[in-house]
Amino acid sequence: MRIVIIGFGVVGQGFCSLLHERRKELIAKYGLNPKIVGITDTGGAAMDEAGLDILKVLEIKRNKKSVADIEGKGRKKTGLEVIEEVEAEVVVEATPTNIQNGEPGISHIEKALKSKKNVITVNKGPLALAFPALMELARYNGVMLKFSGSVGGGTPILEFGKRCLDADKILAVRGILNGTTNFILTEMDTNGLSFSEGLADAQRLGYAEANPSLDVDGFDAAAKLVILANFLMGIPATIKDVQIKGIRDVTQKDIQKAKAKDSTIKLIASINGNLSVKPLELKRSDPMCVNGALNSVKFISQFAGEQVIIGKGAGGTETASAILRDLLEIRNSLRVI
């Protein structure tokens, strides 16, 4: 199977490492022989129809260079050009999330789908802004758009809701969908820190970016909530339909008030008639009350009642495993056809 990777940061490199480590197993167990025929990063592209040397590509990145610097394989081309020119069955779109207009990810996904390439994305921006349109575009062109790593990283939140509750009816969803804000709120609760002190700790440990707005202002959780609403409940929502309030205004007074009731403050994303993301008190005894950078999602369904799934919400290796999960599903679908 020929694969193009658009965006070669932590997740893209993690995916390549995973393919290299599990190559023999993938061939023997799944009949999958992955071949990376194109990669792009901010400096350009590397292309080889016979397949790029994964170890050489990863070494280039460890040396802080662009894949365009690979001798004989490097090209000064954009992601759109590579998608158009390179023959492949799958495009992995792993550029950074842009909630404002979804670019460049949304253009990459549209180009790939229109050229009848299957797409795997971990980029929440395009899905938060245009989920129904992108799914329809995939159906029209007879290809698949997969995105299991966009919610929960390597934790199979979407798969659990879709497959395990498929015979049921999901009535509502509540979740802690952002590990960065959960880490900050845990620090405030456990160590008595202010919001700014908790944020500084999160930035020092690599949980939060230098500009943390996407996380602390609730947009990341809102984007994931939109994906859950569309994919699991058939609600044709975009991020404009979500009521969003982040955690910047949470104080120690709020934390202590919650503690007095054996509760804590968490950033809760919910689908229950409407879509909202906001800080709420949560009982410590609630199964979805997790600490640190963990995520948790509670599904409330008609027959099974409440089901909670917990796991890491991010991380290069974890998210790479979700991409591989999607790749195997595409492989199985193509084999059936």
Side-chain angles (χ1 to χ4, degrees):
M1 181 178 283
R2 297 168 297 180
I3 303 165
V4 168
I5 302 174
I6 307 296
F8 205 53
V10 172
V11 172
Q13 292 172 52
F15 176 58
C16 269
S17 296
L18 195 57
L19 289 183
H20 177 73
E21 291 169 12
R22 299 190 61 190
R23 186 176 192 86
K24 291 182 180 178
E25 179 189 357
L26 292 173
I27 294 171
K29 187 174 181 180
Y30 302 103
L32 174 64
N33 185 11
K35 186 163 61 173
I36 307 298
V37 293
I39 299 175
T40 71
D41 59 20
T42 55
M47 301 158 61
D48 188 344
E49 63 181 18
L52 293 162
D53 184 328
I54 289 179
L55 292 180
K56 186 175 291 186
V57 171
L58 292 173
E59 183 182 4
I60 281 283
K61 297 304 291 185
R62 280 195 297 270
N63 292 329
K64 309 298 182 184
K65 295 181 180 180
S66 168
V67 294
D69 295 322
I70 299 176
E71 187 175 352
K73 313 295 182 184
R75 305 286 189 274
K76 290 298 181 183
K77 290 185 179 291
T78 66
L80 290 174
E81 290 172 330
V82 171
I83 292 168
E84 185 172 8
E85 295 175 19
V86 177
E87 292 291 327
E89 284 73 46
V90 177
V91 171
V92 175
E93 213 293 330
T95 60
T97 295
N98 177 350
I99 293 297
Q100 279 67 47
N101 59 19
E103 295 296 352
I106 198 165
S107 292
H108 293 150
I109 294 171
E110 288 175 344
K111 172 69 77 173
L113 296 176
K114 288 177 181 177
S115 61
K116 300 190 182 302
K117 294 179 175 72
N118 300 286
V119 174
I120 300 170
T121 186
V122 295
N123 188 339
K124 296 174 287 292
L127 300 172
L129 295 169
F131 189 103
L134 291 174
M135 293 302 289
E136 177 57 32
L137 185 61
R139 283 190 291 269
Y140 179 81
N141 286 283
V143 291
M144 287 171 275
L145 172 58
K146 309 296 291 183
F147 42 85
S148 67
S150 64
V151 180
T155 304
I157 290 171
L158 293 173
E159 285 80 0
F160 179 84
K162 194 69 170 179
R163 296 177 185 173
C164 298
L165 299 176
D166 189 45
D168 209 328
K169 180 181 180 182
I170 299 174
L171 303 175
V173 177
R174 299 186 82 210
I176 298 170
L177 299 179
N178 182 269
T180 300
T181 53
N182 204 44
F183 174 84
I184 294 169
L185 291 170
T186 299
E187 289 291 287
M188 293 176 70
D189 180 86
T190 305
N191 298 321
L193 303 184
S194 66
F195 165 76
S196 59
E197 290 170 333
L199 173 59
D201 268 5
Q203 290 172 322
R204 178 175 56 82
L205 294 170
Y207 290 122
E209 301 289 341
N211 179 359
S213 178
L214 190 67
D215 294 317
V216 301
D217 292 324
F219 297 112
D220 175 78
K224 294 171 181 174
L225 193 68
V226 167
I227 297 167
L228 285 165
N230 277 274
F231 186 59
L232 300 182
M233 300 176 73
I235 300 171
T238 71
I239 201 164
K240 295 177 182 178
D241 299 308
V242 186
Q243 300 171 10
I244 307 171
K245 179 177 172 60
I247 67 167
R248 289 184 189 270
D249 296 331
V250 177
T251 65
Q252 266 302 315
K253 184 177 180 180
D254 299 319
I255 297 289
Q256 296 306 318
K257 182 180 176 182
K259 272 188 175 182
K261 293 181 276 186
D262 198 28
S263 298
T264 188
I265 304 290
K266 298 292 186 183
L267 185 67
I268 303 295
S270 64
I271 309 168
N272 189 10
N274 59 8
L275 281 69
S276 68
V277 172
K278 56 187 175 183
L280 293 171
E281 290 186 7
L282 188 66
K283 285 289 185 182
R284 294 181 190 276
S285 58
D286 193 310
M288 65 175 279
C289 187
V290 294
N291 291 324
L294 288 174
N295 282 189
S296 67
V297 177
K298 179 186 291 183
F299 296 102
I300 300 96
S301 56
Q302 185 172 0
F303 304 111
E306 295 184 352
Q307 307 281 333
V308 177
I309 183 167
I310 295 168
K312 293 181 179 180
T317 302
E318 292 82 1
T319 306
S321 72
I323 297 175
L324 181 55
R325 188 165 64 230
D326 285 343
L327 185 66
L328 288 171
E329 189 167 338
I330 290 172
R331 168 70 180 119
N332 289 337
S333 297
L334 293 176
R335 186 160 49 191
V336 169
I337 294 170

